Amino acid sequence: MGSMVSAVVFDVGETLLDDSREWRAWADWVGVSPHTFSTVLGAVTAAGRDNAETFEYFRPGFDLARERQLREEAGRGEQIDNSDLYPDVRPSLAALRAGGLWVGIAGNQTPRAAQLLRALDLPVDYVGTSGEWGVAKPNPGFFERVVQVAPCPADQIVYVGDHRDNDVLPAKAAGLRTALIRRGPWGYLWADDPMTRENADWVIDSLAELPALLLDQ
């Protein structure tokens, strides 16, 4: 694999967090069933479009930032707690950190999500979100920030995510190593895709696989 791995940085949605609750909240907010919402969301994403476009089908001209603010004001804003974490998250992050790796979290989330993630007191060295950075995946600037915050060169960082176009391809283009986790809709959708297989250093089914892959190389 070339140089050693010194840092592991994790995407958030469907990598660390089960997003079901947040998507249910959005479905409720726009007044459709969760099944209807997720089916349209899936169609939008499978077509390679931004998942924010899902809202246009239900409410043309939907302003996501404004509606997020309205949800907060209505007391129905983002919630993230331990019940939203996949069960392998804490033990896997702890094992990677105990093995001497620098562990970070960086995803396309709001500044509020960053606060909620920090409040979980996960065994990590850093939490950052696109909302705080002012740049979102797949923009190359997002991965430049990842490299800036990590304590090592790009080729010693592994970025772990569930999405081919937002995680694997742009992280690889920025010189990072990549792991795609086969979970959540996009993880299953993209795991066996030829471009994923060509660009991901690893395709995993659980974060619990990472310590054995990345430690003691």
Side-chain angles (χ1 to χ4, degrees), residues 123-138:
V124 298
D125 299 289
Y126 181 86
V127 176
T129 63
S130 58
E132 294 179 314
W133 291 355
V135 62
K137 298 182 290 187

Side-chain angles (χ1 to χ4, degrees), residues 50 108 130 133-147 159 165-167 169-174 176:
D50 187 322
N108 278 358
S130 58
W133 291 355
V135 62
K137 298 182 290 187
N139 188 303
F142 179 94
F143 291 96
E144 287 167 18
R145 283 297 297 267
V146 170
V147 176
Y159 191 79
D165 297 342
N166 277 355
D167 299 326
L169 298 184
K172 195 71 174 178
L176 285 70

Side-chain angles (χ1 to χ4, degrees), residues 34-146:
H35 174 67
T36 298
F37 190 93
S38 13
T39 302
V40 174
L41 174 65
V44 166
T45 306
R49 292 152 57 201
D50 187 322
N51 59 26
E53 292 181 38
T54 305
F55 295 101
E56 288 291 322
Y57 286 92
F58 306 118
R59 285 201 203 160
F62 191 87
D63 179 340
L64 184 58
R66 174 77 186 125
E67 296 290 335
R68 188 174 270 126
Q69 182 62 36
L70 290 171
R71 270 183 61 190
E72 290 291 342
E73 290 167 7
R76 294 164 64 185
E78 283 178 281
Q79 300 295 323
I80 297 173
D81 61 35
N82 278 307
S83 69
D84 299 303
L85 292 171
Y86 280 104
D88 57 5
V89 172
R90 277 188 194 276
S92 303
L93 271 52
L96 291 166
R97 208 170 177 209
L101 298 185
W102 185 90
V103 179
I105 295 174
N108 278 358
Q109 319 292 133
T110 61
R112 173 165 168 78
Q115 294 173 346
L116 294 167
L117 285 164
R118 290 183 188 114
L120 293 177
D121 198 25
L122 290 164
V124 298
D125 299 289
Y126 181 86
V127 176
T129 63
S130 58
E132 294 179 314
W133 291 355
V135 62
K137 298 182 290 187
N139 188 303
F142 179 94
F143 291 96
E144 287 167 18
R145 283 297 297 267
V146 170

